[in-house]
Amino acid sequence: MKICRECFYDVFEEEVHSCIIDNQLFKPGERVAIGASGGKDSTVLAYVLSELNRRHNYGLDLFLLSIDEGITGYRDDSLETVKRNEAQYGLPLKVVSYKDLYGWTMDEIVKMIGLKNNCTFCGVFRRQALDRGAAMLKVDKLVTGHNADDIAETVLLNILRGDIARYNLYFLGTRIPLLPLLLHFDNCFCCETLTVPFTYAYFKRLDYFSTECIYSPNAYRGFAREFIKDLERIRPRAILDIIKSGESFRIATSTKMPEQGTCERCGYISSQKWCKACVLLHGLNRGLPKLGIGRSRGHDNDECKKEAKQTTEGKEIQGKPCGTLDF
């Protein structure tokens, strides 16, 4: 639609409101955490949801939940933005740090492992940290500002890795053990591309942080992102078509799906004896950071124990012992 700026605001906000009402996403009195990174998508989500909650009397208790990965010159600056958002929107803020949860910062991890596989650690730790933070806040639901670009990248990444089953679990919502809902921003038609939230944030003059992570240039996801952008230049609907294809994937009945259980070490959701975070921590704490890198094969923790014993003779090298997460 060709509309003026003010009408654009109204259309955008009404689309989000209709999405919430039509899908009955919330109930009065619920506690809802908003994953807040300080970036444009999460900032727009926090602003719009707080405005709609007030305007339409949803009756929600809203909170901002931020993860501090410990990246100097990036996350420390973005958290200052989130702290300003806390005051601007009147929403309580909870910051959960990798250092407190795992005993490591991303700066320390990168110093040990280098730039090649660091995003594997950050992705695993961040997903778990969001769940842990939500549990600390005792919220009923967690909402995130993922847009359609992010979802399309996830579809493509799982295809490239030959792991469509993981993508199906993601869309069925079985990844979040502590919360009944993970609301993605792209659920609303008006938010289905990266452009709309950016335009809204820019013209509304929202306070957001736009610097890219200093450790992300070598991330595998970045190559998928560039590929999708090239496709979009040729065919603008490519992003939406990729998502639709991902939603239509069917897993063969003969495929053995992972059984959801809990980690023996930390109690987090896992299809193995140890969750991926504990496997990665085991390697870090014993000076073997690449121990948990790559596809899980169901015996990661046995390999960890065996190799750690051979290499360190049962002695801790640095950090906390695996399984002593401060939850």
Side-chain angles (χ1 to χ4, degrees), residues 26-34 49-50 53 58-64 90-92 137-141 143:
F26 306 115
K27 297 177 182 178
E30 285 187 324
R31 295 167 62 89
V32 178
I34 302 169
L49 193 53
S50 61
N53 185 46
Y58 292 160
L60 304 177
D61 289 328
L62 300 176
F63 302 84
L64 297 177
L91 301 178
L137 287 171
K138 294 181 173 61
V139 297
D140 301 294
K141 289 167 183 160
V143 296

Side-chain angles (χ1 to χ4, degrees), residues 71-97:
I71 303 176
T72 304
Y74 169 66
R75 185 55 70 202
D76 47 356
D77 290 339
S78 70
L79 283 175
E80 291 303 313
T81 303
V82 177
K83 291 175 183 177
R84 292 195 298 271
N85 292 158
E86 175 187 15
Q88 291 161 355
Y89 308 149
L91 301 178
L93 169 64
K94 173 70 176 178
V95 179
V96 179
S97 72

Side-chain angles (χ1 to χ4, degrees), residues 38-248:
K40 63 184 179 310
D41 294 315
S42 65
T43 300
V44 169
L45 179 61
Y47 174 80
V48 172
L49 193 53
S50 61
E51 282 294 304
L52 294 178
N53 185 46
R54 175 187 56 79
R55 185 184 306 166
H56 297 287
N57 194 26
Y58 292 160
L60 304 177
D61 289 328
L62 300 176
F63 302 84
L64 297 177
L65 173 60
S66 293
I67 307 302
D68 181 4
E69 302 94 340
I71 303 176
T72 304
Y74 169 66
R75 185 55 70 202
D76 47 356
D77 290 339
S78 70
L79 283 175
E80 291 303 313
T81 303
V82 177
K83 291 175 183 177
R84 292 195 298 271
N85 292 158
E86 175 187 15
Q88 291 161 355
Y89 308 149
L91 301 178
L93 169 64
K94 173 70 176 178
V95 179
V96 179
S97 72
Y98 283 9
K99 190 68 173 180
D100 291 339
L101 287 179
Y102 310 118
W104 292 80
T105 66
M106 278 307 300
D107 286 341
E108 293 169 343
I109 293 172
V110 170
K111 186 176 181 180
M112 174 178 280
I113 195 172
L115 292 171
K116 187 175 182 180
N117 295 302
N118 61 87
C119 288
T120 297
F121 287 84
C122 196
V124 171
F125 291 167
R126 185 177 177 80
R127 285 191 293 271
Q128 188 174 120
L130 276 170
D131 289 351
R132 297 295 182 182
M136 293 175 189
L137 287 171
K138 294 181 173 61
V139 297
D140 301 294
K141 289 167 183 160
L142 168 67
V143 296
T144 65
H146 290 104
N147 56 59
D149 296 56
D150 301 322
I151 307 301
E153 290 165 15
T154 300
V155 175
L156 182 59
L157 283 171
N158 283 282
I159 291 174
L160 295 175
R161 291 169 174 158
D163 198 2
I164 298 301
R166 182 181 298 275
Y167 178 77
N168 273 255
L169 287 175
Y170 176 85
F171 249 89
L172 290 173
T174 57
R175 187 183 67 76
I176 303 297
L178 305 174
L179 306 166
L181 171 69
L182 175 64
L183 170 64
H184 290 300
F185 210 11
D186 72 303
N187 281 348
C188 307
F189 180 78
C190 66
C191 311
E192 63 189 7
T193 66
L194 186 65
T195 307
V196 174
F198 172 78
T199 304
Y200 186 88
Y202 178 80
F203 284 112
K204 273 284 188 177
R205 299 185 183 277
L206 300 185
D207 187 359
Y208 64 91
F209 184 80
S210 58
T211 303
E212 292 290 331
C213 175
I214 60 176
Y215 297 138
S216 67
N218 296 317
Y220 190 35
R221 178 176 285 269
F223 296 105
R225 181 179 298 117
E226 289 302 315
F227 177 66
I228 288 175
K229 288 302 180 185
D230 289 340
L231 289 177
E232 189 181 23
R233 293 187 189 99
I234 300 171
R235 189 168 187 271
R237 280 192 57 86
I239 288 180
L240 299 182
D241 290 338
I242 290 172
I243 295 175
K244 185 176 180 180
S245 296
E247 293 173 340
S248 301

